[in-house]
Amino acid sequence: MIQKKGPVVLIDIDVDEVFKKALSMSRVDILDEIKKSGLKGRGGAGFPTETKWNLAGTASDDKKYVVCNADEGEPGTFKDRVLLSDYTDDLLAGMTIAGYVIGSTQGIIYLRCEYIYLYKHINNKIEERRKKNLLGKNILGKDGFNFDIYIQPGAGAYVCGEETALIESLEGHRGEPRNRPPYPTVVGYLGKPTIINNVETFITAMRIIDKGAEWFTKYGTDKSTGTKLFSISGDCRAPGIYELPMGITVKELLATVGGEDAKAVQVGGASGSCITRNEFNLTLAYEDISTGGSIIIFGEKRNMLDIAINFMEFFVEESCGQCTPCRYGTETLLEGLYMLKNKKCSIKYLKELLQLGETMQTASKCGLGQSAPNAFISILKNFKHEILCS
Amino acid sequence: MLEAEKDQLKNEILHLAGAYNNHRSGLLPVLLHIQQKYRYISRYAMQEIADIFRIHPVEVYGVVSFYSFLSTEKKGKFIIYLCQTISCDMAGKRAVARQLENELNIKFGETTPDGLFTLKYTNCLGACDKGPALLVNEDLYTKVTPEGVFDIIQSYRAKFGAHVTMEI
Amino acid sequence: MSDKHSKATTEERAPLSQRKFRIKELEDTEAIGAMVKITIDGNEIRVPYGTTILEAAKKLNIHIPTLCYHEDLCVAGICRICVVEIEGQRLLQAACTYPVTPPHIKVKTYSPRVRKARRHILDLMLRHHYGECYSCVRNKNCELQTLADEYGVDFYRFGHLDKPEKPMDRSSYSVVRDMTKCILCRRCVRTCIDLQEVGVLEAINRGPHTNVVTFMDMPLSDVICINCGQCINRCPVGALHANDPSDDIWASIDDPKKHVIIQTAPSPRAAIGECFGLPPGTSVTKQLNTAIRRCGFSKVFDTNFAADLTIMEEATELLLRLKKALVDGDKNVKLPQFTSCSPGWVKYLEHFYPEFTGHLSSCKSPQQMFGALIKTWYAEKVGINPEDIVSVALMPCSAKKFECNRPEMRSSGLKDVDYGLTSRELAQMIKEAGIDLPNLPPSDFDDPVGEASGAGLIFGVSGGVMEAALRSAVEIVTGIKTEDIFKDLEITPVRGFEGIKYYEIPVTRTVPVPDILKNALKDVETFDFLKGTILKVAVAHGTANAHKVMENIKTGGKFSECHFIEFMACPGGCLGGGGQPIPTSPEIRAARAKAIYDEDKSLSLRKSHENPHITDIYKEFLKEGPCGHLSHKLLHTHYVKRGNKIV
Ligand SMILES: Cc1cc2nc3c(=O)[nH]c(=O)nc-3n(C[C@H](O)[C@H](O)[C@H](O)COP(=O)(O)O)c2cc1C
Ligand code: SF4
Ligand code: SF4
Ligand code: SF4
Ligand code: SF4
Ligand code: FES
Ligand code: FES
């Protein structure tokens, strides 16, 4: 449920007008505007969008792809679902513009299987746009600009949100992340240059093209410009989606959503980390705690060990199982948590596990394994006393 | 499986794969389609799919076993996916789970003997602000309460035209 | 089997992450930017753009441990044991996948972070590994064991299995799967799918439930496995090994009633020394004979004799097919003729191209020809009841174990060959007997077949069967001495390890049919019908290459116009067989090939049809000559159209 609309993303605009305006601009101008806006990816990793588009744009290839990452699987995130259903046109237009910028003719929406009920709706919107010649051949009479979009459903795997795993999945393989480099902007879907962006990123980029970088940078901080959607859940009075400027503190956010009594907050979903009261002054921005927007609030009575167990169970289930540190590391950490739960864990072993967590963070092949120990480490660090006493 | 059924399945796969020029990128959509229609992907189906996509059956098996919405064993007509992830867990997933098991008289991972329902856990369904959430095939239910479980199940029984009263 | 679709090539089907992909090296090493700098442990070196850190380290003689990496396969980057630290980067990077590009990176291969990570990774592997080394085939030749040793594993930080987690799969005649030892490096998966195009093994499930299995985890004998054993050769641990008959063989040796004989194929001789610490490419033919006798075998025969026989039969069959096509105008003659000595290849064709079984030469492989002769001709000659003969075949190959169990292979009325024994297994028997192979005195093969020709010997190398056939066929048909056409009798166009080789020989003159073939080629006096023909031949090794040739034939490409094609299931030919010493790599295979070619060169007898024992056997036993009745009964076989359906 949308709790708070903001000035950038959750606004009603005349999508077709903006779209027309974008197509009347040159590719370089659009890229320039996005560059000036400082837009960073909204999917979590925070990679500068302009750089990604530019890399794919300068790659010379007969075929390029624009992929929308609608695999929203991070626990505690649900903003993309709302965007996909309520701001469909904005997304489709945003993807088309991205196609225009990098010189691609094909867009793909990788829709997680859990959202399959949105398939028809999105497809209808695509169909409408085709009829209006906002998709298809020579879009809006612009000679030689062809672009179309189709939806490809996932089949239930969190790791497929990782961009290279997503490509593997699109190609009909097990969703196992690839070795990087090369990056998808050079070798992506079917070996072709591909940009992969979050739903919100495409929509935000569209807003920037409409109103300009200067307007956009009014919001947020120097390094984290604009506003961002936050998905709030857990122990608070008004969970839901909030559009807030980047750089607000956790404390401010808690006040906004009615979660002032929180004992701890998980920022960034299962792969994020757990912060406690004395860190509530940190800001939600790429320079402080980077996040895809998932905020889970834990009230006073929550058992932090159970929470750590829930997160680790998630990773054990969702690890692709390809590389050793993550395949067996997640399982080993979970076993350690059960030992703690059964009061059977020595401090010595706990230290080993924390060390193992560090190894997983640096030696795993992809972001899943690299971030799987985050919650474990931060909860055990912050709540060691609570856990060992309970 | 009867020969006629096999032929039908094969033709169906041929048709589906044809839409992707038999290119492997069509593998997941085809598998999802077969899964939805037949409620599982049989050995025979995997083999035929492999043949058409010009890959090996074991590769199809590898893919099927990777994704949690695909299965090699027959599932119920209605699959109830209950979100087990943190926000729903905190919102009372355990009570809902217990009630689901009681109503259907099966455990998670199992299918009712009449083949109507399968109970499965899944991870975050993207409705964390309104947990506990569950998905029945393509229908999302939020803020599910233990009391509400009964109504949800009944509505599917009714849809299927099965006896509304519980056997056993 | 569907004709409608040709199968996807490896390049199309393999996940990109597992393809031989990397940033393209620039061809012109002089060009600006073609060479880049990298510093590893303080040593600076310039390498071609896109070289991996691992390759660069090798050039500097810096050892980085690896497990999922194998020279024959695409990189996977999944075991993570090869991680290294790049200065300024938070993440460790896998040396086997990370390409060197500008800017200049500084790499540390044994920093504290790296050592800690590697130890953790090892500990995690050991957590799920049933590490009973003394009961393991790979004891003392195991990459995991070596790593555990190098990293001084003194305790199991994260636990350890004390009993097997999964049952063994012993269903196959050739390959045993013991998955509790598997460390999920997936080298076997890449071998079977990419290198061999068979696709038996794949990873299933995810997370800690990931496993490498067959289709629906069926027994190996029930799925389409061609028994090539290439997966065994590339498994770093003891999870895959061959079905070892040595206990039964020892029992037969110990049984005074049994007459245990062994035939030895050419390839094991050039490789078995590796099991005794000799460098690859050390030929130990004659010492091996001594060792085998000391083990207690009654006789040791040279399979090459049967290889010579194969050449006579197979060449005659080819000439017959050509005659039928060219003289009789028979439209049903199946050309090109395919070789049939590689049982892995034969099964591959039976499964994937069953409509082509007619193209396979009806000749048995040398092993089976010899087997049939031992329990008939030889038994009669020495007056031993064939039932008392235990016939063992020392082979480089795991598929030979399957082959000797085929129901077709009972021409003598008994199992023609009782056991297929691999090089590795014999090495182990020799060690068990306390015999020091490298330092034994040499001894010769036993009569009545004695030494064979160099043509039989080179059967062990890709292109060898073709070369052997050409050495004889050219002479028989044209009357020109082969060595007058090919210097030193080296038919180089069919040599080497290029995946597919193609060669044309014009037939410019012909001579009358020699006596020995008169019976087979009844209606023609001379080979005039071949005059002016351009004989087209091809050679393919590794079934992925065979696959390419077959697809080409199906679409009427250039290989469909060939007359004769040699196929070998294993990369490099038999010397790279699934029963050969582990490890294997392109260099090791090249060294073995050199040993075989060198030995051939040292022989005076180098053409099959000149082997006096061959002339003898056609005089005294197979009196109708090649492809005669008795030949057909004992030396030829038929094939099964198996198809590619598992269920
Ligand atoms: C395990 C894992 C899961 C991810 N899941 C998602 C996801 O569900 N949605 C998403 O947009 N990005 C996800 N990402 C991030 C993507 O890899 C990628 O960075 C992002 O799609 C890039 O888009 P952006 O630049 O617009 O943020 C995930 C990353 C990892 C490592
Ligand atoms: S880190 Fe985990 S999810 Fe990522 S590749 Fe490794 S096993 Fe797969
Ligand atoms: S595979 Fe290696 S480490 Fe494992 S038991 Fe065998 S020899 Fe030992
Ligand atoms: S023996 Fe050959 S065909 Fe069989 S699994 Fe191993 S590599 Fe594949
Ligand atoms: S069986 Fe051997 S080669 Fe295959 S994955 Fe396991 S350890 Fe690796
Ligand atoms: S945690 Fe249940 S829907 Fe997100
Ligand atoms: S050897 Fe590099 S990751 Fe396995």
Side-chain angles (χ1 to χ4, degrees):
Chain A
M1 195 171 47
I2 297 178
Q3 294 281 10
K4 185 176 186 320
K5 292 198 176 187
V8 179
V9 185
L10 303 178
I11 52 172
D12 294 319
I13 56 163
D14 187 339
V15 177
D16 293 357
E17 272 310 305
V18 182
F19 185 65
K20 269 186 209 138
K21 176 179 169 195
L23 289 203
S24 68
M25 290 166 73
S26 76
R27 301 184 158 116
V28 183
D29 286 347
I30 296 179
L31 273 180
D32 209 43
E33 207 61 34
I34 294 180
K35 183 171 190 168
K36 276 192 278 178
S37 77
L39 174 63
K40 288 185 178 159
R42 297 308 199 220
F47 190 80
T49 306
E50 184 267 343
T51 313
K52 195 183 275 187
W53 290 16
N54 202 359
L55 281 170
T58 45
S60 56
D61 216 309
D62 52 333
K63 195 108 185 130
K64 296 178 190 177
Y65 294 94
V66 172
V67 176
C68 171
N69 187 343
D71 194 53
E72 188 168 57
E74 191 62 57
T77 329
F78 42 95
K79 45 129 189 145
D80 290 346
R81 174 174 56 81
V82 172
L83 292 175
L84 285 163
S85 66
D86 296 1
Y87 293 83
T88 327
D89 248 342
D90 307 60
L91 169 66
L92 298 175
M95 286 177 71
T96 315
I97 295 168
Y100 171 67
V101 172
I102 71 161
S104 154
T105 54
Q106 187 65 63
I108 306 169
I109 299 175
Y110 185 83
L111 183 69
R112 71 190 299 230
C113 198
E114 290 85 344
Y115 290 173
I116 198 76
Y117 48 84
L118 294 174
Y119 187 97
K120 268 210 189 88
H121 166 74
I122 304 172
N123 223 6
N124 289 341
K125 289 279 183 191
I126 292 176
E127 205 48 59
E128 269 173 34
R129 288 183 76 79
R130 281 187 192 135
K131 282 199 192 110
K132 291 200 266 181
N133 189 227
L134 300 170
L135 281 175
K137 295 232 148 67
N138 301 325
I139 294 174
L140 291 181
K142 208 170 170 75
D143 247 1
F145 178 46
N146 308 331
F147 192 79
D148 211 335
I149 299 176
Y150 66 85
I151 310 168
Q152 177 131 340
Y158 163 70
V159 67
C160 288
E162 200 280 341
E163 53 189 16
T164 56
L166 189 153
I167 294 174
E168 287 288 309
S169 179
L170 283 178
E171 290 183 5
H173 291 283
R174 295 161 57 80
E176 293 173 346
R178 294 177 177 175
N179 296 308
R180 301 187 306 172
Y183 295 95
T185 43
V186 186
V187 182
Y189 182 53
L190 303 178
K192 302 291 180 190
T194 303
I195 57 164
I196 298 160
N197 280 110
N198 178 253
V199 180
E200 189 184 341
T201 310
F202 282 117
I203 296 178
T204 310
M206 219 201 117
R207 307 288 191 249
I208 294 167
I209 294 162
D210 178 23
K211 301 204 170 140
E214 214 169 294
W215 162 82
F216 183 75
T217 48
K218 279 199 310 218
Y219 307 99
T221 69
D222 276 356
K223 283 192 182 132
S224 311
T225 46
T227 62
K228 162 112 200 59
L229 299 192
F230 291 93
S231 311
I232 316 288
S233 64
D235 301 320
C236 64
R237 287 191 295 281
I241 293 168
Y242 290 76
E243 180 179 343
L244 299 168
M246 298 285 268
I248 68 162
T249 62
V250 176
K251 199 183 224 147
E252 285 163 349
L253 182 128
L254 287 174
T256 317
V257 305
E260 299 86 345
D261 308 333
K263 156 164 93 168
V265 175
Q266 179 78 14
V267 183
S271 55
S273 47
C274 188
I275 58 171
T276 52
R277 280 188 190 130
N278 52 17
E279 295 163 304
F280 283 178
N281 280 328
L282 289 174
T283 60
L284 297 168
Y286 298 111
E287 54 268 37
D288 245 0
I289 7 176
S290 174
T291 164
S294 163
I295 305 279
I296 305 167
I297 301 166
F298 305 123
E300 195 55 59
K301 290 209 267 318
R302 295 291 171 189
N303 179 336
M304 295 313 287
L305 182 59
D306 284 346
I307 289 164
I309 289 177
N310 188 293
F311 283 141
M312 201 46 77
E313 282 173 341
F314 171 81
F315 286 116
V316 169
E317 255 180 45
E318 297 295 343
S319 156
C320 85
Q322 189 182 189
C323 72
T324 320
C326 169
R327 176 177 66 239
Y328 292 145
T330 49
E331 181 210 46
T332 307
L333 294 187
L334 181 62
E335 189 190 74
L337 288 169
Y338 288 147
M339 285 162 78
L340 280 167
K341 179 114 185 138
N342 297 329
K343 321 267 173 253
K344 292 255 190 290
C345 187
S346 67
I347 300 284
K348 179 168 177 284
Y349 190 60
L350 194 58
K351 286 201 165 130
E352 293 278 12
L353 291 178
L354 287 168
Q355 295 258 321
L356 173 64
E358 279 170 29
T359 292
M360 290 166 66
Q361 285 177 327
T362 54
S364 294
K365 181 164 172 176
C366 85
L368 190 150
Q370 287 156 12
S371 57
N374 291 353
F376 176 91
I377 293 174
S378 54
I379 290 178
L380 278 171
K381 199 178 79 198
N382 291 329
F383 297 96
K384 201 170 182 178
H385 183 72
E386 178 194 309
I387 288 170
L388 290 175
C389 289
S390 68
Chain B
M1 222 188 283
L2 295 171
E3 283 306 313
E5 284 175 338
K6 279 188 177 172
D7 283 348
Q8 193 207 331
L9 179 61
K10 187 171 175 175
N11 285 332
E12 199 168 344
I13 293 168
L14 260 174
H15 178 75
L16 289 167
Y20 298 90
N21 288 327
N22 301 345
H23 188 275
R24 185 162 180 170
S25 59
L27 182 58
L28 275 184
V30 170
L31 288 173
L32 278 167
H33 188 99
I34 299 293
Q35 173 78 41
Q36 271 165 17
K37 176 148 179 200
Y38 295 91
R39 294 186 258 150
Y40 78 127
I41 297 159
S42 63
R43 289 173 184 220
Y44 180 76
M46 281 191 265
Q47 181 177 281
E48 290 307 316
I49 290 170
D51 221 28
I52 285 161
F53 285 112
R54 300 171 298 158
I55 54 179
H56 302 291
V58 76
E59 292 178 84
V60 179
Y61 179 39
V63 170
V64 170
S65 65
F66 187 87
Y67 295 97
S68 49
F69 279 62
L70 303 175
S71 65
T72 55
E73 267 151 46
K74 194 150 182 157
K75 292 277 184 278
K77 184 145 188 71
F78 302 107
I79 307 180
I80 302 176
Y81 295 100
L82 176 65
C83 171
Q84 63 180 353
T85 311
I86 190 71
S87 299
C88 291
D89 188 69
M90 296 197 299
K93 155 217 115 184
R94 267 166 267 193
V96 174
R98 201 185 322 124
Q99 209 52 38
L100 280 167
E101 289 186 336
N102 292 344
E103 296 301 333
L104 294 172
N105 207 15
I106 53 170
K107 297 256 169 271
F108 271 82
E110 295 176 351
T111 301
T112 52
D114 59 8
L116 266 191
F117 294 97
T118 298
L119 273 184
K120 252 186 92 129
Y121 280 120
T122 187
N123 284 320
C124 185
L125 288 170
C128 329
D129 53 340
K130 290 178 287 185
L134 62 79
L135 200 61
V136 186
N137 291 0
E138 296 188 6
D139 308 329
L140 179 69
Y141 293 86
T142 54
K143 296 207 171 184
V144 179
T145 56
E147 305 90 288
V149 162
F150 177 76
D151 294 334
I152 295 175
I153 290 173
Q154 284 306 83
S155 71
Y156 286 95
R157 285 223 165 87
K159 239 187 215 169
F160 192 64
H163 298 293
V164 177
T165 47
M166 282 259 289
E167 295 137 45
I168 308 172
Chain C
M1 179 73 205
S2 57
D3 285 329
K4 302 174 286 292
H5 325 283
S6 61
K7 280 208 291 181
T9 64
T10 309
E11 282 298 293
E12 279 165 23
R13 70 192 322 153
L16 251 189
S17 56
Q18 292 177 17
R19 259 180 246 167
K20 269 217 171 56
F21 176 80
R22 66 163 62 147
I23 293 178
K24 266 217 194 79
E25 286 179 21
L26 300 183
E27 307 247 311
D28 177 7
T29 48
E30 300 295 310
I32 300 166
M35 299 295 279
V36 281
K37 264 194 246 167
I38 175 174
T39 304
I40 305 177
D41 297 335
N43 306 292
E44 192 178 298
I45 186 175
R46 277 158 58 83
V47 293
Y49 182 93
T51 307
T52 61
I53 294 178
L54 183 67
E55 289 162 337
K58 260 188 202 151
K59 287 188 190 162
L60 286 167
N61 279 328
I62 292 172
H63 172 72
I64 297 175
T66 56
L67 273 174
C68 66
Y69 172 84
H70 194 283
E71 272 179 277
D72 289 332
L73 307 170
C74 325
V75 292
I78 57 177
C79 74
R80 313 305 285 178
I81 200 76
C82 69
V83 286
V84 293
E85 184 169 347
I86 299 176
E87 214 176 272
Q89 289 195 17
R90 182 183 65 88
L91 296 177
L92 302 177
Q93 296 288 356
C96 68
T97 67
Y98 199 89
V100 185
T101 55
H104 182 166
I105 49 171
K106 297 196 173 71
V107 174
K108 284 187 235 147
T109 67
Y110 56 91
S111 69
R113 282 211 300 154
V114 169
R115 290 202 312 269
K116 190 184 83 181
R118 287 198 191 138
R119 180 68 205 271
H120 276 145
I121 290 165
L122 254 179
D123 281 323
L124 288 174
M125 283 178 184
L126 296 177
R127 174 182 159 88
H128 280 277
H129 184 77
Y130 179 56
E132 274 266 312
C133 294
Y134 25 82
S135 65
C136 181
V137 276
R138 293 296 292 275
N139 197 9
K140 292 170 81 184
N141 182 19
C142 167
E143 294 179 34
L144 183 65
Q145 195 185 44
T146 308
L147 273 175
D149 176 37
E150 284 172 4
Y151 281 78
V153 171
D154 45 359
F155 74 112
Y156 303 119
R157 194 169 311 215
F158 304 120
H160 193 54
L161 291 184
D162 52 6
K163 55 177 180 299
E165 246 178 356
K166 297 160 208 149
M168 273 202 212
D169 175 2
R170 288 187 168 282
S171 63
S172 160
Y173 284 120
S174 300
V175 183
V176 180
R177 296 167 61 236
D178 181 5
M179 285 302 156
T180 16
K181 301 229 194 287
C182 174
I183 52 162
L184 293 170
C185 69
R186 302 203 201 168
R187 275 161 37 169
C188 57
V189 173
R190 282 171 282 151
T191 302
C192 197
I193 296 183
D194 296 352
L195 203 61
Q196 295 299 79
E197 270 288 347
V198 186
V200 176
L201 304 169
E202 172 63 300
I204 60 151
N205 301 337
R206 18 175 234 234
H209 306 291
T210 309
N211 237 329
V212 168
V213 300
T214 58
F215 182 61
M216 293 306 284
D217 213 357
M218 287 159 80
L220 199 55
S221 56
D222 294 356
V223 298
I224 298 172
C225 164
I226 64 167
N227 303 307
C228 65
Q230 290 305 307
C231 50
I232 300 177
N233 285 11
R234 287 169 186 79
C235 180
V237 294
L240 295 169
H241 54 95
N243 210 337
D244 183 357
S246 53
D247 285 347
D248 294 346
I249 295 174
W250 279 125
S252 305
I253 289 176
D254 296 341
D255 183 345
K257 285 203 293 294
K258 296 287 182 199
H259 182 68
V260 187
I261 66 95
I262 185 167
Q263 53 165 314
T264 73
S267 293
R269 306 168 197 166
I272 200 167
E274 292 163 32
C275 297
F276 296 88
L278 297 175
T282 317
S283 190
V284 292
T285 312
K286 301 219 162 170
Q287 288 93 325
L288 188 61
N289 289 344
T290 313
I292 287 172
R293 286 199 186 87
R294 289 204 186 163
C295 282
F297 289 90
S298 309
K299 296 277 179 202
V300 42
F301 296 135
D302 191 348
T303 306
N304 297 353
F305 163 74
D308 284 337
L309 200 57
T310 305
I311 288 301
M312 295 308 291
E313 296 286 333
E314 201 159 338
T316 308
E317 184 185 352
L318 177 64
L319 291 171
L320 256 168
R321 287 190 197 218
L322 289 170
K323 190 214 96 179
K324 278 191 192 144
L326 298 172
V327 179
D328 310 344
D330 185 343
K331 291 269 182 311
N332 293 326
V333 176
K334 299 277 190 267
L335 283 168
Q337 174 175 307
F338 301 156
T339 60
S340 60
C341 22
S342 163
W345 149 247
V346 167
K347 194 156 183 268
Y348 183 79
L349 180 127
E350 289 177 327
H351 280 301
F352 296 104
Y353 301 95
E355 68 276 27
F356 282 91
T357 43
H359 289 252
L360 274 178
S361 159
S362 64
C363 291
K364 286 181 183 170
S365 68
Q367 159 178 302
Q368 293 303 136
M369 283 199 182
F370 212 152
L373 288 177
I374 281 167
K375 292 200 182 175
T376 55
W377 171 65
Y378 169 75
E380 197 182 300
K381 210 172 167 104
V382 294
I384 299 177
N385 181 357
E387 303 209 1
D388 290 334
I389 297 179
V390 175
S391 173
V392 180
L394 170 64
M395 291 289 146
C397 175
S398 53
K400 294 279 173 195
K401 294 172 189 285
F402 169 84
E403 186 185 30
C404 74
N405 280 296
R406 286 179 71 123
E408 298 89 2
M409 299 301 168
R410 303 177 70 96
S411 311
S412 60
L414 302 161
K415 220 172 131 185
D416 291 338
V417 172
D418 293 287
Y419 302 108
L421 184 70
T422 64
S423 313
R424 293 190 298 268
E425 290 152 0
L426 180 66
Q428 195 263 316
M429 287 177 77
I430 294 172
K431 284 182 187 164
E432 186 174 352
I435 298 165
D436 178 21
L437 177 85
N439 297 314
L440 289 183
S443 65
D444 286 331
F445 286 104
D446 282 306
D447 279 337
V449 296
E451 306 309 292
S453 80
L457 185 72
I458 58 172
F459 262 54
V461 198
S462 162
V465 178
M466 185 57 70
E467 179 164 349
L470 291 177
R471 282 184 189 175
S472 289
V474 166
E475 246 176 72
I476 292 173
V477 171
T478 67
I480 309 171
K481 286 272 170 216
T482 314
E483 55 269 40
D484 292 343
I485 307 176
F486 300 100
K487 190 172 162 284
D488 294 332
L489 218 50
E490 288 175 7
I491 310 186
T492 39
V494 297
R495 292 190 178 188
F497 286 153
E498 203 186 315
I500 300 169
K501 292 163 270 186
Y502 177 82
Y503 186 48
E504 295 179 354
I505 315 158
V507 181
T508 48
R509 57 173 273 200
T510 51
V511 291
V513 174
D515 288 348
I516 192 164
L517 298 185
K518 281 243 161 78
N519 189 37
L521 295 163
K522 283 190 218 46
D523 342 319
V524 287
E525 294 289 315
T526 68
F527 288 114
D528 281 354
F529 66 93
L530 285 173
K531 204 167 193 164
T533 310
I534 297 178
L535 198 63
K536 295 175 181 163
V537 301
V539 174
H541 60 113
T543 34
N545 290 316
H547 165 79
K548 283 187 201 140
V549 172
M550 290 308 295
E551 291 301 321
N552 180 283
I553 291 177
K554 272 171 91 168
T555 52
K558 95 171 173 190
F559 293 108
S560 65
E561 289 172 11
C562 279
H563 299 100
F564 192 34
I565 307 185
E566 175 201 303
F567 288 102
M568 291 288 158
C570 296
C574 307
L575 55 81
Q580 291 284 65
I582 299 170
T584 183
S585 72
E587 294 87 78
I588 292 175
R589 294 194 293 274
R592 292 175 189 164
K594 185 169 181 303
I596 290 178
Y597 283 131
D598 286 351
E599 193 170 336
D600 163 53
K601 212 168 177 175
S602 74
L603 296 176
S604 48
L605 178 61
R606 292 175 69 194
K607 285 176 241 162
S608 301
H609 65 285
E610 289 177 352
N611 181 345
H613 300 290
I614 292 290
T615 355
D616 284 352
I617 198 168
Y618 283 116
K619 262 190 212 133
E620 59 176 76
F621 187 64
L622 305 164
K623 290 180 186 141
E624 287 165 295
C627 295
H629 267 107
L630 194 54
S631 279
H632 262 289
K633 178 165 177 282
L634 294 178
L635 309 183
H636 289 249
T637 184
H638 56 271
Y639 304 102
V640 186
K641 294 188 194 316
R642 294 176 199 268
N644 71 345
K645 299 288 191 235
I646 304 174
V647 287

